[in-house]
């Protein structure tokens, strides 16, 4: 059952995340359009669904909060409370609390760190404030009357439904003895009694204690003067022991008295040593022996003796209602099983009471089948209980059952008794609904779901069926009501659902969806046509012609088989653990390496047949690689959707008006890249809001709209994606950047004069750079843009900033689609092979050594009418290369955030697909290295990161 609850908790968490995201998006829209009733209803429905699911899995803290959210939302949608900024803020606060609690649930926490009660009180106060503002107590009374009237109307509607009285025979269980008293022998521990000391002995003990205390106090004042580190701890140990005796915490026995006399002798030795200027070790005092004697004395004073007593335990069987388990109990008893009642109590000083009782339940499952327990297993997880009553079935005898549970620690007693019962038949009247529901849902399928007889979590299974059916259609009605199922009030074996199918689904899909849920015994489906036929048959024969017309009209239009298949195909999905997907990607990577190995063997030995086979294998591997890569791709909306709320909160905190626009949210990126993208975007958006967009008054002065615009855009370009953060703020002033850079010592005045405006603007990526005059909660620490550059370049991407003073700023992040398998340019330096991602490579060219010129202290060449700097790869890697210097050089031209760069290498090998492996250990943080790969011949090639070259 625990596994089933864990499974359902996972389902709840996944669905709750989707509903929380929906609420978040709707609240942002509602803030812009407070009169939109559809948004309010959508928020209400999502909160209601979360509440129902939380109740079903026993998460009372989540269900309590969502219940009060529903309460205030109900007043909002009824027009009794307006949508104001403080109402929106309060709902956002509730949403943040729900997100925190959901994360705790996912990490296995059953309790929450969120102060739910204080938030609920805020909701109540807000509701009180608005309702009293509309007429005080009269308004509240009016609201209460309306609510009462609605409840009465609902009650009347239910009672007015057509009923059919029917007499049925019902079997009930009767206890032969409602209570059973059991005598139990238990062992208790009592402190060992000591004979009282005589008057003379008591005086002697008091004198010894007084003498020890005086000596300890005198010696303690000398501890700072005497150079003996062992003296002070020893005196503290002795003083603590004597204090326990004085405070009656230790009883005086022969062992304690002997220890006091021993301590007196030790103190005399200490006094002698102090007179002679010796340490306690030098006078022969064994500190370990002193400590041991004191500990033994304390232990002997607290010795306990075991004593056997007999107690009576009463088992009240009538506290259990077994009416729902009659069939199961009868069947098991016929098979030779027996019904038992177990009662257990934990010891008073046990710190984990409920945990111990849970262990009893777990062990009982090994010897029988639990029917009911008080408290339930879920309640034991939520709070502490001292006693446990369990009614269970077992084919074992009492001794075997006791043997199974008797070894649970910290249990005061366990009482087990066989419960003698008899089955009685009685005739009762029952009312069954005539199928009136068909009249109100004429176009819906009627689905009767019958659960397995041994299903215990009936409300859970019913709710899981409803969730499965919601994926393929619209649920019009359920019997019993869906709220009763969500609240766990359903405990029958049969329930009914009325469903309108979505386009593209057929009746077979209904049964297939339901049977995915465990413990389903049978499904009975009645189509709208069949229900219509039954109704028509009840009409008179004179309306036969009319019946045919009605029947023809009621039939849905025929669906196109091809369209149906296509739609179904696109909607069929399966959840896969991300670890399995990563493992599949690694296996594909190994295939790529093995393919390269085969290619080298075929080329080396000129094997034509092997080459042909490798070409066919390559096609299959490429297709497999593309499919697996596609599975790893996730829409950027996964990251983008968290920013509207952040922009809203930051703009409010900064007193700015901002319109946030997101474009290209359906563009997909590899999950690895996307996971790392959130942090850089946070910094860019915070900078745009704090430094870029001006306050409304300032914007109006320069002729701009009061409301600034902030855009977050995703664009696909060949084998990479551009993520753009753009604002229409004041832009970046190169002169301010130049001045701040000089002030902070990042560059000299001479260097600043040589840099262009574009190069000056890119100084914002230097570590520690900030134009903020003071540090705020939003920015000013000088770490944001440096983090952006470092993170993006570690992903194999680049960052470019375009800005115009007074008009705005545009930051473009260029990212690879994936980091798992990339195409790289392989090149050689000495005997070592290196790789550069092909997305960074612009060209490979040959030049004469004489073409390299020294311009202002930097080696450079003229490349396509542009001067670009040149470096030797051996110098960048710090390698002492002693090869011959040739006149003709091979240069790889690359693009980086700082502009173009020429890299001199020994030889270019060519392009190859490589599997990126991250570096660990001492290689992890070496500048210039982005990773490694294994080549086809088994050699390791390092992947270069030349962004800092």
């Amino acid at each position: 059952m625990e596994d089933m609850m864990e499974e359902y908790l996972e389902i709840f968490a996944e669905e709750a995340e989707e509903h929380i995201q929906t609420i978040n998006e709707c609240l942002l829209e509602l803030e812009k359009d407070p009169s939109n009733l559809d948004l309010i209803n959508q928020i209400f429905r999502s909160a209601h669904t979360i509440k129902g699911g939380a109740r079903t899995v026993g998460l009372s803290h989540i269900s309590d909060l969502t219940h009060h959210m529903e309460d205030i939302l109900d007043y909002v949608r009824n027009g009794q409370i307006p949508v104001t900024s403080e109402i929106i803020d309060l709902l956002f606060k509730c949403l943040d609390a729900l997100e925190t609690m959901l994360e705790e649930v996912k990490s296995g926490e059953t309790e929450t760190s969120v102060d739910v009660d204080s938030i609920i009180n805020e909701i109540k106060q807000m509701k009180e404030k608005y309702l009293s503002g509309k007429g005080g107590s009269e308004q509240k009374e009016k609201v209460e009357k309306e609510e009462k009237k609605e409840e009465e109307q609902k009650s009347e509607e239910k009672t007015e439904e057509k009923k059919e009285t029917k007499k049925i025979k019902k079997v009930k269980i009767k206890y032969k003895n409602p209570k059973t008293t059991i005598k139990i022998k238990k062992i208790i521990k009592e402190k060992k009694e000591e004979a009282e000391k005589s008057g003379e002995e008591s005086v002697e003990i008091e004198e010894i204690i007084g003498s020890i205390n005086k000596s300890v106090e005198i010696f303690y004042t000398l501890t700072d003067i005497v150079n003996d580190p062992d003296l002070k701890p020893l005196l503290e140990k002795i003083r603590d022991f004597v204090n326990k005796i004085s405070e009656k915490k230790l009883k005086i026995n022969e062992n304690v008295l002997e220890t006091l006399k021993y301590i007196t002798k030790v103190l005399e030795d200490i006094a002698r040593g102090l007179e002679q200027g010796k340490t306690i070790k030098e006078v022969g005092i064994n500190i370990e022996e002193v400590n041991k004697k004191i500990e033994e004395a304390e232990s002997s004073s607290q010795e306990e003796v075991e004593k056997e007593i007999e107690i009576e335990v009463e088992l009240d069987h009538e506290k259990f209602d077994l009416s729902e388990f009659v069939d199961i109990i009868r069947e098991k008893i016929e098979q030779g099983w027996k019904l038992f009642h177990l009662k257990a109590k934990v010891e008073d000083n046990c710190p984990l009471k409920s945990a111990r009782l849970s262990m009893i339940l777990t062990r009982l499952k090994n010897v029988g089948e639990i029917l009911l327990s008080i408290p339930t297993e879920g309640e034991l997880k939520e709070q502490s209980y001292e006693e446990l009553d369990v009614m269970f079935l077992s084919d074992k005898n009492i001794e075997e059952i006791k043997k199974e549970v008797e070894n649970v620690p910290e249990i005061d007693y366990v009482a087990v008794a066989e419960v003698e019962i008899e089955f009685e038949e009685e005739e009762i009247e029952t009312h069954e609904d005539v199928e009136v529901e068909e009249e109100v849902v004429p176009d819906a399928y009627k689905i009767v779901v019958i659960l397995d007889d041994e299903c215990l979590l009936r409300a859970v299974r019913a709710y899981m069926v409803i969730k499965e059916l919601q994926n393929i259609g619209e649920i019009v009605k359920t019997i019993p009501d869906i709220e009763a199922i969500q609240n766990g009030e359903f405990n029958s074996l049969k329930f009914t659902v009325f469903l309108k199918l979505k386009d593209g689904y057929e009746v077979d899909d209904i049964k297939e969806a339901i049977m995915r849920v465990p413990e389903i015994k049978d499904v009975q489906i009645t189509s709208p046509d069949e229900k219509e036929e039954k109704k028509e048959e009840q009409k008179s024969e004179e309306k036969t012609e009319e019946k045919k017309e009605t029947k023809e009209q009621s039939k849905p239009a025929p669906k196109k088989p091809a369209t149906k298949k296509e739609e179904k195909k696109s909607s069929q999905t399966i959840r896969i653990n991300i670890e399995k997907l990563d493992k599949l990607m690694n296996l594909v990577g190994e295939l790529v390496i093995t393919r390269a190995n085969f290619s080298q063997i075929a080329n080396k030995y000129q094997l034509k047949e092997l080459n042909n086979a490798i070409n066919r294998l390559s096609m299959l591997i490429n297709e497999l690689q593309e499919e697996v890569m596609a599975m790893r791709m996730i829409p950027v909306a996964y990251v983008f959707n968290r920013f509207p709320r952040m922009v809203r909160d930051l703009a409010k905190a900064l007193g700015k008006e901002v319109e946030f626009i997101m474009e290209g949210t359906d563009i997909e990126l590899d999950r690895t890249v996307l996971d790392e993208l959130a942090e850089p975007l946070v910094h860019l958006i915070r900078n745009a809001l704090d430094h870029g967009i001006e306050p409304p008054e300032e914007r109006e002065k320069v002729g701009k709209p009061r409301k600034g615009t902030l855009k977050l855009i995703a664009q696909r370009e060949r084998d990479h994606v551009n993520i753009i953060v753009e604002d229409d703020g004041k832009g970046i002033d190169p002169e301010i950047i130049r001045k701040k850079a000089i002030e902070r010592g990042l560059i000299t005045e001479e260097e600043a004069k040589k840099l262009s405006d574009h190069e000056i603007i890119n100084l914002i990526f230097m570590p520690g750079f900030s134009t903020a005059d003071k540090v705020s909660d939003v920015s000013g620490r000088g770490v944001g843009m440096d983090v952006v550059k470092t993170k993006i370049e570690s992903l194999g991407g680049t960052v470019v900033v375009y800005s115009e003073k007074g008009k705005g700023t545009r930051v473009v992040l260029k990212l690879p689609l994936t980091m798992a398998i990339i195409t790289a340019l392989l090149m050689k330096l000495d005997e070592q092979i290196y790789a550069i991602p092909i997305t960074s490579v612009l060209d490979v060219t040959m030049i004469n050594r004489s073409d390299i010129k020294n311009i202002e202290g930097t080696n450079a060449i003229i490349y396509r009418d542009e001067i670009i700097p040149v470096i030797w790869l051996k110098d960048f890697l710090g390698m002492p290369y002693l090869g011959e210097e040739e006149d003709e050089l091979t240069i790889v031209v690359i693009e980086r955030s700082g502009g173009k760069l020429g890299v001199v290498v020994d030889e270019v090998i060519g392009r190859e697909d490589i599997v990126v492996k991250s570096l660990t250990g001492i290689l992890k943080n070496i500048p210039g290295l982005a990773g490694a790969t294994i080549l086809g011949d088994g050699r390791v090639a390092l992947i270069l990161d030349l962004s800092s070259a």
Side-chain angles (χ1 to χ4, degrees):
M1 195 183 295
E2 287 180 6
D3 292 339
M4 285 155 45
M5 286 306 296
E6 284 178 14
E7 172 195 337
Y8 196 63
L9 269 174
E10 289 177 10
I11 295 171
F12 166 74
E14 290 170 2
E15 291 177 352
E17 277 185 332
E18 294 172 7
H19 286 295
I20 285 173
Q21 183 60 39
T22 300
I23 294 173
N24 189 51
E25 292 169 3
C26 288
L27 280 175
L28 291 166
E29 289 298 319
L30 186 63
E31 193 170 33
K32 300 173 187 174
D33 184 9
S35 62
N36 193 325
L37 191 61
D38 289 339
L39 290 171
I40 298 167
N41 286 331
Q42 181 61 53
I43 296 168
F44 184 90
R45 284 194 296 271
S46 292
H48 182 77
T49 304
I50 294 172
K51 180 188 81 172
R55 279 187 180 173
T56 304
V57 294
L59 300 172
S60 57
H61 48 289
I62 294 180
S63 65
D64 288 347
L65 180 56
T66 46
H67 172 73
H68 285 86
M69 279 179 70
E70 274 187 316
D71 196 22
I72 198 165
L73 283 165
D74 199 32
Y75 285 115
V76 170
R77 68 179 183 174
N78 290 335
Q80 292 164 303
I81 294 179
V83 177
T84 61
S85 59
E86 60 181 348
I87 291 289
I88 295 288
D89 288 342
L90 178 60
L91 291 173
F92 270 128
K93 187 173 184 179
C94 294
L95 197 64
D96 292 340
L98 285 174
E99 284 181 336
T100 302
M101 290 190 285
L102 193 61
E103 287 302 317
E104 290 170 340
V105 170
K106 288 162 68 178
S107 62
E109 297 289 333
T110 55
E111 295 181 1
T112 180
S113 59
V114 177
D115 190 353
V116 177
D117 291 337
S118 68
I119 300 174
I120 289 173
N121 286 332
E122 279 187 57
I123 295 173
K124 289 178 179 177
Q125 290 168 11
M126 188 74 75
K127 188 171 69 174
E128 181 77 20
K129 172 184 172 182
Y130 278 92
L131 293 178
S132 60
K134 288 186 173 185
S137 59
E138 292 178 6
Q139 175 66 22
K140 287 201 293 182
E141 286 175 10
K142 182 182 175 184
V143 171
E144 287 171 4
K145 284 180 182 178
E146 287 178 358
E147 288 178 349
K148 190 175 180 182
K149 188 177 177 182
E150 284 179 13
E151 287 177 8
E152 288 174 355
Q153 285 176 351
K154 286 177 183 176
S155 178
E156 286 173 10
E157 285 171 7
K158 286 179 180 178
T159 57
E160 285 173 4
E161 288 179 352
K162 294 181 183 179
K163 303 285 182 180
E164 187 179 276
T165 305
K166 189 179 180 182
K167 287 187 178 181
I168 61 167
K169 286 184 180 180
K170 185 177 180 181
V171 179
K172 69 174 186 178
I173 291 174
K174 184 180 178 182
Y175 296 107
K176 289 183 179 180
N177 297 303
K179 293 180 181 177
T180 304
T181 302
I182 298 178
K183 289 184 179 180
I184 294 177
K185 290 181 180 180
K186 57 180 284 189
I187 305 296
I188 62 169
K189 291 182 179 180
E190 292 182 344
K191 287 193 176 179
K192 190 176 180 180
E193 297 291 335
E194 291 284 339
E196 291 187 9
K197 303 294 178 186
S198 66
E200 291 181 3
E201 287 177 325
S202 297
V203 171
E204 181 190 2
I205 291 167
E206 288 177 7
E207 287 176 355
I208 292 173
I209 290 172
S211 173
I212 290 172
N213 278 331
K214 286 178 184 177
S215 299
V216 168
E217 291 303 321
I218 292 168
F219 295 155
Y220 203 82
T221 57
L222 299 173
T223 53
D224 293 332
I225 302 169
V226 178
N227 186 21
D228 188 352
D230 297 320
L231 180 59
K232 190 173 182 179
L234 180 61
L235 292 173
E236 287 177 347
K237 183 79 174 179
I238 294 170
R239 183 166 61 183
D240 183 52
F241 175 65
V242 174
N243 285 343
K244 285 179 181 177
I245 298 171
S246 301
E247 294 168 3
K248 309 291 185 186
K249 291 180 180 177
L250 295 179
K251 289 186 177 182
I252 297 175
N253 56 24
E254 291 301 324
N255 201 338
V256 172
L257 186 58
E258 288 300 320
T259 304
L260 287 172
K261 291 176 181 178
Y262 174 77
I263 288 171
T264 303
K265 173 70 171 58
V266 168
L267 292 173
E268 288 173 0
D269 291 342
I270 292 173
R272 189 177 72 252
L274 290 172
E275 288 175 1
Q276 297 173 0
K278 295 180 179 179
T279 64
I280 57 177
K281 286 183 178 177
E282 289 172 346
V283 296
I285 296 172
N286 188 331
I287 297 170
E288 289 183 2
E289 184 182 344
V290 177
N291 288 335
K292 185 178 179 182
K293 281 192 173 290
I294 290 173
E295 287 168 5
E296 286 176 353
E298 289 178 346
S299 177
S300 70
S301 178
Q302 295 174 340
E303 272 185 18
E304 293 179 332
V305 292
E306 291 186 346
K307 182 180 177 183
E308 186 178 85
I309 63 168
E310 192 173 71
I311 62 169
E312 289 187 350
V313 177
E314 185 181 75
L315 304 180
D316 182 5
H317 312 316
E318 289 186 323
K319 63 169 65 177
F320 293 103
D321 179 10
L322 298 176
S323 57
E324 290 293 331
F325 302 95
V326 173
D327 295 337
I328 298 172
I329 294 171
R330 177 180 266 180
E331 182 185 341
K332 291 293 183 184
I333 287 177
E334 287 172 357
Q335 294 172 6
W337 288 44
K338 293 178 181 177
L339 184 64
F340 294 97
H341 183 168
L342 176 143
K343 185 170 185 175
K345 183 180 180 297
V346 292
E347 293 176 355
D348 294 335
N349 59 353
C350 174
L352 299 169
K353 292 181 169 63
S354 286
R356 297 308 181 200
L357 295 177
S358 293
M359 289 174 69
I360 296 279
L361 282 177
T362 302
R363 295 198 179 185
L364 276 180
K365 291 174 186 176
N366 297 330
V367 293
E369 184 177 323
I370 295 172
L371 300 176
L372 292 169
S373 70
I374 302 173
T376 64
E377 199 166 2
E379 287 169 340
L380 284 173
K381 291 179 181 178
E382 291 177 0
Q383 64 188 83
S384 181
Y385 291 89
E386 293 186 350
E387 291 184 348
L388 171 71
D389 280 270
V390 188
M391 192 69 77
F392 65 101
L393 290 160
S394 178
D395 58 351
K396 311 291 186 209
N397 59 43
I398 288 180
E399 293 306 316
E400 288 177 298
I401 295 168
K402 282 183 178 178
K403 189 177 179 181
E404 183 69 31
V405 298
E406 65 184 2
N407 293 326
V408 175
E410 299 177 299
I411 296 295
D412 189 16
Y413 67 78
V414 175
V416 185
E418 183 183 341
V419 182
E420 293 186 349
I421 58 169
E422 53 188 7
F423 298 98
E424 287 187 350
E425 282 190 359
E426 64 176 352
E427 200 173 69
I428 60 170
E429 289 186 352
T430 183
H431 299 281
E432 293 186 352
D433 294 340
V434 180
E435 303 296 339
V436 178
E437 290 79 5
E438 293 187 22
E439 295 176 8
V440 293
V441 280
D443 297 326
Y445 285 87
K446 180 188 173 187
I447 306 159
V448 179
V449 182
I450 301 170
L451 300 173
D452 191 86
D453 294 340
E454 295 186 5
C455 177
L456 297 179
L457 295 171
R458 297 174 184 179
V460 172
R461 294 307 178 205
Y463 188 66
M464 289 174 73
V465 167
I466 289 168
K467 296 307 293 180
E468 287 288 346
L469 291 176
Q470 283 176 339
N471 294 329
I472 63 172
E474 176 193 350
I475 291 179
V476 183
K477 187 174 182 179
T478 63
I479 302 174
D481 188 80
I482 192 167
E483 191 163 0
I485 294 172
Q486 288 176 336
N487 294 341
E489 296 166 6
F490 170 72
N491 199 28
S492 179
L493 290 172
K494 184 169 76 171
F495 63 96
T496 306
V497 180
F498 292 91
L499 178 79
K500 289 185 178 180
L501 277 175
K502 292 179 182 176
D503 289 342
Y505 290 96
E506 292 181 349
V507 67
D508 291 342
D509 300 315
I510 298 174
K511 191 162 187 176
E512 185 182 332
I514 294 172
M515 295 311 289
R516 282 199 289 265
V517 178
E519 297 183 301
I520 301 298
K521 185 176 181 180
D522 191 21
V523 180
Q524 299 167 2
I525 304 170
T526 307
S527 69
D529 292 343
E530 289 172 11
K531 288 192 291 180
E532 191 68 29
E533 285 172 7
K534 287 178 183 178
K535 285 166 63 180
E536 292 297 336
E537 284 170 6
Q538 293 171 4
K539 295 183 180 181
S540 63
E541 293 179 2
E542 292 143 0
K543 297 185 178 179
T544 305
E545 202 62 31
E546 183 183 338
K547 168 192 154 186
K548 290 179 181 178
E549 291 174 11
T550 308
K551 187 177 175 181
E552 285 299 315
Q553 289 172 5
S554 66
K555 287 184 180 178
K559 299 183 178 76
K560 294 180 181 179
T563 309
K564 185 251 175 188
K565 285 180 182 176
E566 287 167 12
E567 290 179 2
K568 275 191 69 178
K569 186 178 177 181
S570 63
S571 64
Q572 288 176 337
T573 58
I574 184 170
R575 285 194 166 101
I576 300 175
N577 190 306
I578 196 67
E579 291 177 1
K580 291 183 179 179
L581 205 55
D582 287 341
K583 186 175 181 181
L584 182 60
M585 192 70 220
N586 289 335
L587 291 173
V588 172
E590 295 301 322
L591 275 176
V592 170
I593 294 168
T594 306
R595 178 185 62 185
N597 189 9
F598 276 124
S599 295
Q600 288 184 353
I601 293 169
N603 291 332
K604 182 177 180 181
Y605 296 103
Q606 298 294 314
L607 301 173
K608 186 178 178 182
E609 291 82 2
L610 183 57
N611 261 323
N612 293 335
I614 289 170
N615 289 336
R616 290 193 297 274
L617 180 64
S618 293
M619 291 173 63
L620 293 173
I621 291 176
N622 287 338
E623 189 174 347
L624 178 62
Q625 181 181 329
E626 288 171 7
E627 288 296 327
V628 175
M629 296 285 285
M631 281 192 277
R632 289 171 56 95
M633 303 296 271
I634 301 175
V636 293
Y638 172 75
V639 170
F640 280 21
N641 284 342
R642 69 184 68 177
F643 294 118
R645 170 74 188 284
M646 190 188 90
V647 171
R648 178 249 181 206
D649 291 346
L650 271 179
K652 196 169 184 180
L654 295 168
K656 297 180 179 181
E657 296 178 14
V658 180
E659 181 182 3
F660 185 53
I661 299 170
M662 297 191 301
E663 297 176 6
T665 53
D666 57 337
I667 300 290
E668 293 184 333
L669 266 176
D670 187 281
R671 182 186 65 85
T672 310
V673 177
L674 206 55
D675 285 345
E676 300 294 328
L677 188 59
E679 187 184 4
L681 287 179
V682 167
H683 288 297
L684 291 175
I685 289 171
R686 288 166 75 95
N687 268 355
L689 289 168
D690 195 25
H691 297 297
I693 295 174
E694 313 93 330
E697 297 76 16
E698 191 177 319
R699 289 178 65 86
E700 285 183 330
K701 286 179 184 177
V702 295
K704 290 183 177 181
R706 280 180 63 85
K707 185 178 282 188
T709 301
L710 177 61
K711 291 183 179 180
L712 181 58
I713 305 166
Q715 294 176 343
R716 174 77 181 263
E717 288 187 13
R718 291 193 307 165
D719 54 356
H720 65 270
V721 170
N722 289 338
I723 305 294
I724 302 163
V725 179
E726 184 179 348
D727 67 75
D728 66 345
K730 57 189 175 185
I732 300 174
D733 187 342
E735 292 307 315
I736 292 176
I737 302 293
R738 198 186 308 267
K739 184 180 175 184
K740 285 284 183 182
I742 295 169
E743 282 178 10
R744 292 176 182 267
L746 299 174
I747 58 172
T748 62
E749 287 190 29
E750 291 74 18
E751 289 172 333
K753 288 176 183 177
K754 296 175 184 177
L755 297 176
S756 65
D757 284 352
H758 179 72
E759 290 170 326
I760 286 291
I761 288 172
N762 277 280
L763 292 176
I764 63 175
F765 293 113
M766 294 186 73
F769 185 85
S770 176
T771 58
D773 296 322
K774 61 180 181 180
V775 175
S776 69
D777 290 338
V778 180
S779 62
R781 293 175 177 80
V783 295
M785 299 305 282
D786 172 39
V787 168
V788 172
K789 182 174 183 287
T790 305
K791 180 67 74 174
I792 297 303
E793 289 180 346
S794 72
L795 295 172
T798 58
V799 187
V800 183
V801 179
Y802 304 94
S803 185
E804 190 173 345
K805 184 180 175 183
K807 290 189 177 180
T809 303
R810 180 180 172 94
V811 182
V812 181
L813 313 179
K814 185 178 179 181
L815 295 162
L817 288 174
T818 181
M819 289 182 66
I821 299 174
I822 62 172
T823 303
L825 182 71
L826 300 182
M827 51 200 183
K828 204 177 209 183
L829 185 64
D830 197 6
E831 293 302 317
Q832 177 64 44
I833 295 176
Y834 296 91
I836 300 179
I838 202 71
T839 52
S840 302
V841 178
L842 295 177
D843 195 8
V844 177
T845 185
M846 305 290 291
I847 63 164
N848 287 320
R849 182 180 294 274
S850 58
D851 291 337
I852 299 177
K853 308 295 182 186
N854 191 297
I855 303 173
E856 297 180 351
T858 302
N859 289 324
I861 61 169
I862 297 174
Y863 171 76
R864 297 182 181 175
D865 300 326
E866 184 180 353
I867 297 174
I868 63 169
V870 172
I871 64 165
W872 269 258
L873 184 58
K874 65 180 179 66
D875 294 336
F876 176 73
L877 297 174
M879 291 175 60
Y881 180 54
L882 302 175
E884 295 181 7
E885 293 189 354
E886 298 181 1
D887 290 334
E888 195 171 38
L889 303 175
T890 303
I891 291 185
V892 179
V893 182
I894 64 167
E895 180 76 62
R896 52 178 187 155
S897 56
K900 295 183 178 69
L901 175 71
V903 182
V904 179
V905 298
D906 286 358
E907 179 187 346
V908 171
I909 299 171
R911 295 165 53 130
E912 190 170 314
D913 288 343
I914 62 170
V915 180
V916 179
K917 303 284 185 183
S918 55
L919 297 172
T920 56
I922 59 173
L923 296 173
K924 187 174 183 180
N925 297 312
I926 295 180
L929 298 182
T933 188
I934 300 171
L935 301 175
D937 57 3
R939 286 188 294 173
V940 174
L942 295 172
I943 303 169
L944 299 174
D945 174 15
L946 298 171
S947 56
S948 59

